[in-house]
Amino acid sequence: MLREAEKQNISWTALPLDALKGISPVFDTDFAGSLDVSAALNAKRVPGGTAPESVRAAIADLEARLNKKTKTGAKS
């Protein structure tokens, strides 16, 4: 993909779908949408990952642990 973009003197993200399909038939119209930051973040849906729901869960877990320490008087 990078070689083809270099040949065409364009960014690899600007390669047209027909050029991508010439590299591999698995490229499809959804490829371009997978290149943005939101898609990259959402792809990491695991504990500790970057998907928004994973981040929210980590924050909630931390808040719960901090609240538990505060209620029991534990020192950090």
Side-chain angles (χ1 to χ4, degrees), residues 59-72 76:
I59 291 170
D61 179 58
L62 176 61
E63 288 174 339
R65 289 188 290 143
L66 290 172
N67 287 334
K68 184 177 178 182
K69 278 188 173 186
T70 303
K71 288 178 185 175
T72 62
S76 49

Side-chain angles (χ1 to χ4, degrees), residues 7-48:
K7 282 183 202 174
Q8 294 187 29
N9 199 31
I10 60 173
S11 168
W12 64 273
T13 58
L15 281 170
L17 183 57
D18 60 327
L20 293 172
K21 284 193 173 280
I23 296 165
S24 172
V26 298
F27 284 111
D28 207 346
T29 55
D30 62 345
F31 177 70
S34 69
L35 299 177
D36 74 6
V37 172
S38 291
L41 294 175
N42 284 319
K44 309 296 186 281
R45 292 183 181 168
V46 296

